[in-house]
Amino acid sequence: MMARALSWLLLKSRSAWWRAVYRGYRSRYAIGRTFRFNGAMINLYGDGRIELGEHSYIGEFSSIQACAGHSVVMGQHCAISHNVRIYTSTNLADADMRLGPAPTIEGSVSIGDGVWIGTNVFIGPGVAIGSNAVVGANAVVTRSIPADEIWGGVPARLLRRKDPAHQHDRHVSERQRDH
């Protein structure tokens, strides 16, 4: 019984800790009122600008880094899964690290409205992801993705374009359900 009570107390204190961290993020960055931090260990950091849209969420163990002079802007109704990494700065892969600190590549990241990003995805500097796009699990995104496309792989590549007929059917069924 004592172990159960201790586990409950530990869980409550862990939750309280992360709620406090997320309140700090809300005061530092532009985060929509209805944006959800979906779990623990979500890190936002850097001296750049981070804007996270309404009715969107990000999953556990994810990180968003915005270096000075750059931004990460996420639209509304986005679903960002667990263990996703979004960076505005990273080391240049072609550099010879034995010669000293590697030069970096930097660039702002933008994510349109209604984007779905699967688990374990890496999104690099300078990437723009168009509205209604999908990035499959475990992808490495190194270049921009147009709207209404599904991408996956390492490096990420086009898998297919979304079928506009399915979009229409979904909206019709939502309207019918609402009436």
Side-chain angles (χ1 to χ4, degrees):
M1 189 62 151
M2 177 77 147
R4 182 180 292 160
L6 190 55
S7 292
W8 181 84
L9 185 59
L10 192 59
L11 181 63
K12 286 296 181 185
S13 64
R14 177 180 170 230
S15 295
W17 165 261
W18 284 106
R19 280 194 307 272
V21 168
Y22 300 154
R23 274 193 305 273
Y25 294 159
R26 288 181 187 279
S27 68
R28 182 173 181 188
Y29 301 111
I31 299 174
R33 187 182 52 77
T34 58
F35 181 87
R36 278 190 353 253
F37 292 97
N38 195 13
M41 305 287 292
I42 299 166
N43 293 302
L44 308 183
Y45 64 98
D47 295 326
R49 194 175 88 243
I50 297 176
E51 294 180 28
L52 306 175
E54 298 288 342
H55 308 290
S56 295
Y57 69 85
I58 190 167
E60 280 191 313
F61 306 108
S62 294
S63 295
I64 297 177
Q65 173 248 37
C67 69
H70 295 285
S71 63
V72 174
V73 178
M74 178 190 305
Q76 298 181 13
H77 302 282
C78 292
I80 311 301
S81 192
H82 304 294
N83 202 37
V84 171
R85 303 286 184 257
I86 302 171
Y87 294 127
T88 62
S89 176
T90 190
N91 287 341
L92 181 64
D94 290 339
D96 187 339
M97 303 279 260
R98 299 169 296 182
L99 301 177
T104 59
I105 345 173
E106 296 181 352
S108 294
V109 173
S110 67
I111 299 170
D113 294 332
V115 171
W116 176 20
I117 297 175
T119 193
N120 298 320
V121 169
F122 172 86
I123 299 172
V127 168
I129 299 175
S131 293
N132 198 35
V134 174
V135 180
N138 303 309
V140 175
V141 184
T142 58
R143 58 188 173 128
S144 294
I145 296 174
D148 302 310
E149 292 188 353
I150 300 172
W151 284 52
V154 179
R157 61 181 172 76
L158 175 65
L159 300 177
R160 69 179 175 85
R161 288 178 178 76
K162 286 190 168 183
D163 183 348
H166 288 115
Q167 298 300 314
H168 176 69
D169 293 344
R170 189 186 85 224
H171 293 299
V172 168
S173 65
E174 285 174 359
R175 274 185 271 148
Q176 289 170 346
R177 186 180 59 231
D178 293 340
H179 291 304

mmCIF file of all heavy atoms in Angstrom, residues 129-156:
data_model
loop_
_atom_site.group_PDB
_atom_site.id
_atom_site.type_symbol
_atom_site.label_atom_id
_atom_site.label_comp_id
_atom_site.label_asym_id
_atom_site.label_seq_id
_atom_site.Cartn_x
_atom_site.Cartn_y
_atom_site.Cartn_z
ATOM 1 N N ILE A 129 6.687 23.092 -44.413
ATOM 2 C CA ILE A 129 5.755 21.993 -44.663
ATOM 3 C C ILE A 129 4.395 22.610 -44.929
ATOM 4 O O ILE A 129 3.847 23.325 -44.079
ATOM 5 C CB ILE A 129 5.705 21.012 -43.466
ATOM 6 C CG1 ILE A 129 7.100 20.410 -43.246
ATOM 7 C CG2 ILE A 129 4.669 19.924 -43.714
ATOM 8 C CD1 ILE A 129 7.211 19.515 -42.037
ATOM 9 N N GLY A 130 3.865 22.361 -46.120
ATOM 10 C CA GLY A 130 2.601 22.959 -46.535
ATOM 11 C C GLY A 130 1.404 22.402 -45.773
ATOM 12 O O GLY A 130 1.453 21.312 -45.203
ATOM 13 N N SER A 131 0.324 23.154 -45.784
ATOM 14 C CA SER A 131 -0.903 22.755 -45.097
ATOM 15 C C SER A 131 -1.422 21.410 -45.598
ATOM 16 O O SER A 131 -1.258 21.063 -46.763
ATOM 17 C CB SER A 131 -1.989 23.819 -45.303
ATOM 18 O OG SER A 131 -1.623 25.006 -44.637
ATOM 19 N N ASN A 132 -2.011 20.658 -44.669
ATOM 20 C CA ASN A 132 -2.649 19.377 -44.967
ATOM 21 C C ASN A 132 -1.667 18.302 -45.434
ATOM 22 O O ASN A 132 -2.052 17.327 -46.045
ATOM 23 C CB ASN A 132 -3.782 19.570 -45.983
ATOM 24 C CG ASN A 132 -4.739 18.402 -46.002
ATOM 25 O OD1 ASN A 132 -5.023 17.788 -44.974
ATOM 26 N ND2 ASN A 132 -5.234 18.068 -47.181
ATOM 27 N N ALA A 133 -0.383 18.498 -45.131
ATOM 28 C CA ALA A 133 0.622 17.497 -45.491
ATOM 29 C C ALA A 133 0.762 16.480 -44.365
ATOM 30 O O ALA A 133 0.371 16.733 -43.228
ATOM 31 C CB ALA A 133 1.969 18.169 -45.758
ATOM 32 N N VAL A 134 1.346 15.323 -44.700
ATOM 33 C CA VAL A 134 1.625 14.266 -43.729
ATOM 34 C C VAL A 134 3.088 13.878 -43.873
ATOM 35 O O VAL A 134 3.588 13.713 -44.994
ATOM 36 C CB VAL A 134 0.736 13.022 -43.982
ATOM 37 C CG1 VAL A 134 1.127 11.877 -43.057
ATOM 38 C CG2 VAL A 134 -0.736 13.367 -43.824
ATOM 39 N N VAL A 135 3.773 13.734 -42.725
ATOM 40 C CA VAL A 135 5.144 13.223 -42.714
ATOM 41 C C VAL A 135 5.106 11.918 -41.931
ATOM 42 O O VAL A 135 4.748 11.898 -40.751
ATOM 43 C CB VAL A 135 6.121 14.219 -42.057
ATOM 44 C CG1 VAL A 135 7.527 13.650 -42.054
ATOM 45 C CG2 VAL A 135 6.086 15.566 -42.773
ATOM 46 N N GLY A 136 5.453 10.818 -42.594
ATOM 47 C CA GLY A 136 5.397 9.497 -41.980
ATOM 48 C C GLY A 136 6.436 9.293 -40.895
ATOM 49 O O GLY A 136 7.468 9.976 -40.849
ATOM 50 N N ALA A 137 6.174 8.334 -40.037
ATOM 51 C CA ALA A 137 7.058 8.013 -38.923
ATOM 52 C C ALA A 137 8.486 7.748 -39.390
ATOM 53 O O ALA A 137 8.714 7.208 -40.473
ATOM 54 C CB ALA A 137 6.523 6.795 -38.186
ATOM 55 N N ASN A 138 9.435 8.170 -38.567
ATOM 56 C CA ASN A 138 10.873 7.930 -38.760
ATOM 57 C C ASN A 138 11.484 8.663 -39.941
ATOM 58 O O ASN A 138 12.599 8.335 -40.349
ATOM 59 C CB ASN A 138 11.160 6.419 -38.877
ATOM 60 C CG ASN A 138 10.667 5.662 -37.672
ATOM 61 O OD1 ASN A 138 10.977 6.031 -36.541
ATOM 62 N ND2 ASN A 138 9.863 4.640 -37.904
ATOM 63 N N ALA A 139 10.801 9.642 -40.494
ATOM 64 C CA ALA A 139 11.325 10.380 -41.647
ATOM 65 C C ALA A 139 12.353 11.414 -41.216
ATOM 66 O O ALA A 139 12.334 11.914 -40.094
ATOM 67 C CB ALA A 139 10.184 11.070 -42.392
ATOM 68 N N VAL A 140 13.251 11.737 -42.141
ATOM 69 C CA VAL A 140 14.214 12.820 -41.969
ATOM 70 C C VAL A 140 13.912 13.843 -43.057
ATOM 71 O O VAL A 140 14.140 13.589 -44.239
ATOM 72 C CB VAL A 140 15.668 12.305 -42.066
ATOM 73 C CG1 VAL A 140 16.651 13.467 -42.019
ATOM 74 C CG2 VAL A 140 15.954 11.298 -40.964
ATOM 75 N N VAL A 141 13.371 14.988 -42.638
ATOM 76 C CA VAL A 141 12.923 16.009 -43.587
ATOM 77 C C VAL A 141 14.020 17.062 -43.733
ATOM 78 O O VAL A 141 14.311 17.796 -42.794
ATOM 79 C CB VAL A 141 11.596 16.664 -43.119
ATOM 80 C CG1 VAL A 141 11.104 17.660 -44.164
ATOM 81 C CG2 VAL A 141 10.542 15.600 -42.849
ATOM 82 N N THR A 142 14.607 17.114 -44.938
ATOM 83 C CA THR A 142 15.707 18.045 -45.203
ATOM 84 C C THR A 142 15.353 19.083 -46.259
ATOM 85 O O THR A 142 16.163 19.957 -46.550
ATOM 86 C CB THR A 142 16.959 17.275 -45.667
ATOM 87 O OG1 THR A 142 16.626 16.523 -46.835
ATOM 88 C CG2 THR A 142 17.465 16.350 -44.563
ATOM 89 N N ARG A 143 14.169 18.937 -46.853
ATOM 90 C CA ARG A 143 13.727 19.932 -47.837
ATOM 91 C C ARG A 143 12.226 20.146 -47.682
ATOM 92 O O ARG A 143 11.533 19.332 -47.073
ATOM 93 C CB ARG A 143 14.091 19.524 -49.257
ATOM 94 C CG ARG A 143 13.538 18.210 -49.701
ATOM 95 C CD ARG A 143 14.140 17.820 -51.051
ATOM 96 N NE ARG A 143 13.727 16.486 -51.400
ATOM 97 C CZ ARG A 143 13.164 16.171 -52.556
ATOM 98 N NH1 ARG A 143 12.963 17.093 -53.462
ATOM 99 N NH2 ARG A 143 12.815 14.930 -52.804
ATOM 100 N N SER A 144 11.738 21.218 -48.244
ATOM 101 C CA SER A 144 10.344 21.611 -48.054
ATOM 102 C C SER A 144 9.369 20.627 -48.685
ATOM 103 O O SER A 144 9.672 19.983 -49.689
ATOM 104 C CB SER A 144 10.129 23.019 -48.591
ATOM 105 O OG SER A 144 10.867 23.938 -47.803
ATOM 106 N N ILE A 145 8.190 20.555 -48.083
ATOM 107 C CA ILE A 145 7.135 19.638 -48.509
ATOM 108 C C ILE A 145 5.920 20.468 -48.919
ATOM 109 O O ILE A 145 5.417 21.267 -48.117
ATOM 110 C CB ILE A 145 6.762 18.676 -47.355
ATOM 111 C CG1 ILE A 145 7.960 17.789 -47.012
ATOM 112 C CG2 ILE A 145 5.530 17.856 -47.696
ATOM 113 C CD1 ILE A 145 7.749 16.898 -45.806
ATOM 114 N N PRO A 146 5.434 20.297 -50.129
ATOM 115 C CA PRO A 146 4.249 21.046 -50.564
ATOM 116 C C PRO A 146 2.985 20.621 -49.807
ATOM 117 O O PRO A 146 2.926 19.545 -49.215
ATOM 118 C CB PRO A 146 4.124 20.687 -52.052
ATOM 119 C CG PRO A 146 5.470 20.199 -52.448
ATOM 120 C CD PRO A 146 6.029 19.531 -51.218
ATOM 121 N N ALA A 147 1.976 21.441 -49.885
ATOM 122 C CA ALA A 147 0.678 21.143 -49.270
ATOM 123 C C ALA A 147 0.070 19.892 -49.898
ATOM 124 O O ALA A 147 0.364 19.554 -51.051
ATOM 125 C CB ALA A 147 -0.272 22.326 -49.459
ATOM 126 N N ASP A 148 -0.746 19.198 -49.115
ATOM 127 C CA ASP A 148 -1.547 18.066 -49.601
ATOM 128 C C ASP A 148 -0.725 16.883 -50.112
ATOM 129 O O ASP A 148 -1.165 16.164 -51.001
ATOM 130 C CB ASP A 148 -2.522 18.523 -50.699
ATOM 131 C CG ASP A 148 -3.454 19.610 -50.216
ATOM 132 O OD1 ASP A 148 -4.063 19.439 -49.146
ATOM 133 O OD2 ASP A 148 -3.551 20.640 -50.903
ATOM 134 N N GLU A 149 0.482 16.705 -49.561
ATOM 135 C CA GLU A 149 1.302 15.564 -49.965
ATOM 136 C C GLU A 149 1.683 14.728 -48.751
ATOM 137 O O GLU A 149 1.750 15.225 -47.631
ATOM 138 C CB GLU A 149 2.574 16.033 -50.694
ATOM 139 C CG GLU A 149 2.260 16.654 -52.036
ATOM 140 C CD GLU A 149 3.497 16.961 -52.861
ATOM 141 O OE1 GLU A 149 4.637 16.828 -52.374
ATOM 142 O OE2 GLU A 149 3.313 17.358 -54.034
ATOM 143 N N ILE A 150 1.962 13.454 -49.001
ATOM 144 C CA ILE A 150 2.382 12.521 -47.963
ATOM 145 C C ILE A 150 3.827 12.138 -48.256
ATOM 146 O O ILE A 150 4.141 11.649 -49.353
ATOM 147 C CB ILE A 150 1.479 11.270 -47.947
ATOM 148 C CG1 ILE A 150 0.032 11.692 -47.677
ATOM 149 C CG2 ILE A 150 1.973 10.269 -46.901
ATOM 150 C CD1 ILE A 150 -0.981 10.571 -47.839
ATOM 151 N N TRP A 151 4.700 12.385 -47.285
ATOM 152 C CA TRP A 151 6.127 12.124 -47.439
ATOM 153 C C TRP A 151 6.596 11.168 -46.361
ATOM 154 O O TRP A 151 6.056 11.129 -45.257
ATOM 155 C CB TRP A 151 6.919 13.428 -47.327
ATOM 156 C CG TRP A 151 6.847 14.304 -48.538
ATOM 157 C CD1 TRP A 151 5.728 14.733 -49.181
ATOM 158 C CD2 TRP A 151 7.945 14.872 -49.234
ATOM 159 N NE1 TRP A 151 6.067 15.532 -50.241
ATOM 160 C CE2 TRP A 151 7.416 15.638 -50.289
ATOM 161 C CE3 TRP A 151 9.321 14.814 -49.055
ATOM 162 C CZ2 TRP A 151 8.232 16.335 -51.176
ATOM 163 C CZ3 TRP A 151 10.130 15.518 -49.937
ATOM 164 C CH2 TRP A 151 9.585 16.260 -50.993
ATOM 165 N N GLY A 152 7.661 10.416 -46.653
ATOM 166 C CA GLY A 152 8.262 9.538 -45.666
ATOM 167 C C GLY A 152 9.619 9.081 -46.133
ATOM 168 O O GLY A 152 9.997 9.276 -47.288
ATOM 169 N N GLY A 153 10.370 8.471 -45.233
ATOM 170 C CA GLY A 153 11.665 7.899 -45.572
ATOM 171 C C GLY A 153 12.840 8.722 -45.093
ATOM 172 O O GLY A 153 12.693 9.761 -44.473
ATOM 173 N N VAL A 154 14.036 8.197 -45.401
ATOM 174 C CA VAL A 154 15.293 8.841 -45.023
ATOM 175 C C VAL A 154 16.173 8.911 -46.258
ATOM 176 O O VAL A 154 16.634 7.870 -46.726
ATOM 177 C CB VAL A 154 16.013 8.042 -43.910
ATOM 178 C CG1 VAL A 154 17.322 8.698 -43.535
ATOM 179 C CG2 VAL A 154 15.117 7.884 -42.693
ATOM 180 N N PRO A 155 16.410 10.071 -46.816
ATOM 181 C CA PRO A 155 15.705 11.317 -46.510
ATOM 182 C C PRO A 155 14.252 11.245 -47.002
ATOM 183 O O PRO A 155 13.917 10.443 -47.884
ATOM 184 C CB PRO A 155 16.496 12.371 -47.280
ATOM 185 C CG PRO A 155 17.101 11.632 -48.423
ATOM 186 C CD PRO A 155 17.368 10.234 -47.910
ATOM 187 N N ALA A 156 13.421 12.097 -46.443
ATOM 188 C CA ALA A 156 11.998 12.079 -46.801
ATOM 189 C C ALA A 156 11.820 12.386 -48.283
ATOM 190 O O ALA A 156 12.522 13.212 -48.860
ATOM 191 C CB ALA A 156 11.232 13.086 -45.952
#
